[in-house]
Amino acid sequence: MIFPIMKKIISVFLILMIPPIVVLSINWQWTPSSFNEGVYYLYLFTESVSYPYGIITSTIFFVFCCFSLRSIDLASISRLGIILIFAVLIGQGIKSIVKNYTSEPRPYVTQLEKSLPVDSGKFYVVTDSERAQMIDQYVQKTAEIPSWLESHWQAETGYSFPSGHTLFASSWVFLVVLFIGFKRHSVITTAVVGWGVVVETSRLALGMHYPADLIASNIFGCFIALLAYFCAKRWRIID
């Protein structure tokens, strides 16, 4: 029982680790010069996690997980929904706690320090509106940054470690794979895993996170999904 589950988890975990490991191995670091127009399409994947689109994404993945129910009735669907909602919320709670503890500046903030007479310590103690103004000043000096990326930065001025978007994505990837399996729904699971890989890649390409942020998020997402899966099995909600 445990071996097949761990085999699934390890396989998916290794796939999700490809982007951060590749970036670490080639020592790639985000800079404004690394930006290109193709990054906009990665941004669309990031938006599938951001509010409010993340709600739509979660609903779709919840429907996928319902394929594993022992019986399709309101009680079973409700119980599964509660487990999955708590799994996602626990992940985001962990993310918030760890971010405040580590206080790591985002990659774009590090670049901002080099362009403006401000350090990351000052950036993170001022109000959100003041942070947005600093970002605007930086973008005006950096021709490579488009307006949509500036808006994304202004909406995401918190700390870097770990990645909340990656944690959201990896949690759902592990949940879908655990609940419905590779063999029974190979097309769905392959698409969901691919989506997760592209989401975490987008976080690197947009200057939002470092590889270590993604690695930690994948680890958290793995354990959260396992906890949710075993809860559902224990309460005999799923096959």
Side-chain angles (χ1 to χ4, degrees):
M1 175 66 182
I2 296 296
F3 179 75
I5 293 172
M6 295 311 299
K7 187 176 179 181
K8 289 180 187 178
I9 283 290
I10 292 172
S11 299
V12 173
F13 182 79
L14 291 175
I15 294 172
L16 291 177
M17 290 292 285
I18 291 174
I21 294 300
V22 169
V23 167
L24 284 173
S25 65
I26 64 176
N27 197 30
W28 180 87
Q29 295 182 349
W30 186 89
T31 62
S33 61
S34 65
F35 180 84
N36 60 70
E37 293 183 1
V39 175
Y40 178 74
Y41 297 102
L42 293 177
Y43 164 73
L44 296 180
F45 279 84
T46 271
E47 284 294 273
S48 70
V49 176
S50 303
Y51 179 82
Y53 306 108
I55 298 175
I56 299 173
T57 301
S58 294
T59 302
I60 294 171
F61 291 160
F62 167 67
V63 172
F64 292 160
C65 290
C66 284
F67 296 164
S68 65
L69 287 171
R70 296 172 66 90
S71 60
I72 305 298
D73 55 70
L74 184 58
S76 298
I77 293 173
S78 299
R79 289 169 186 160
L80 179 62
I82 291 171
I83 290 174
L84 297 180
I85 290 172
F86 268 100
V88 174
L89 291 179
I90 288 171
Q92 294 307 301
I94 291 173
K95 175 264 298 183
S96 298
I97 293 171
V98 176
K99 275 182 184 289
N100 290 329
Y101 179 77
T102 57
S103 303
E104 179 185 49
R106 293 184 184 274
Y108 80 80
V109 176
T110 302
Q111 292 296 319
L112 182 148
E113 288 182 282
K114 298 177 181 179
S115 178
L116 299 178
V118 60
D119 58 33
S120 59
K122 181 179 179 181
F123 179 85
Y124 285 107
V125 297
V126 299
T127 63
D128 290 343
S129 60
E130 290 174 307
R131 294 180 193 179
Q133 290 176 3
M134 291 182 186
I135 292 171
D136 186 59
Q137 293 174 27
Y138 170 61
V139 170
Q140 289 178 11
K141 292 185 176 183
T142 311
E144 296 95 335
I145 305 302
S147 59
W148 57 262
L149 183 53
E150 177 185 0
S151 298
H152 184 64
W153 285 352
Q154 290 173 332
E156 299 281 344
T157 59
Y159 293 115
S160 184
F161 183 92
S163 168
H165 282 68
T166 300
L167 180 51
F168 177 96
S170 65
S171 296
W172 273 119
V173 169
F174 286 119
L175 286 168
V176 170
V177 169
L178 280 171
F179 277 74
I180 71 174
F182 281 117
K183 293 182 179 179
R184 287 186 297 172
H185 304 282
S186 59
V187 174
I188 291 176
T189 52
T190 300
V192 172
V193 172
W195 167 83
V197 170
V198 179
V199 167
E200 60 180 351
T201 301
S202 73
R203 305 311 288 161
L204 298 168
L206 295 173
M208 299 299 291
H209 290 286
Y210 301 98
D213 305 343
L214 275 57
I215 293 171
S217 296
N218 286 332
I219 294 172
F220 289 142
C222 175
F223 282 106
I224 290 169
L226 277 171
L227 177 63
Y229 176 78
F230 284 121
C231 285
K233 291 288 286 185
R234 182 177 180 83
W235 296 335
R236 302 182 61 82
I237 298 173
I238 62 175
D239 288 327

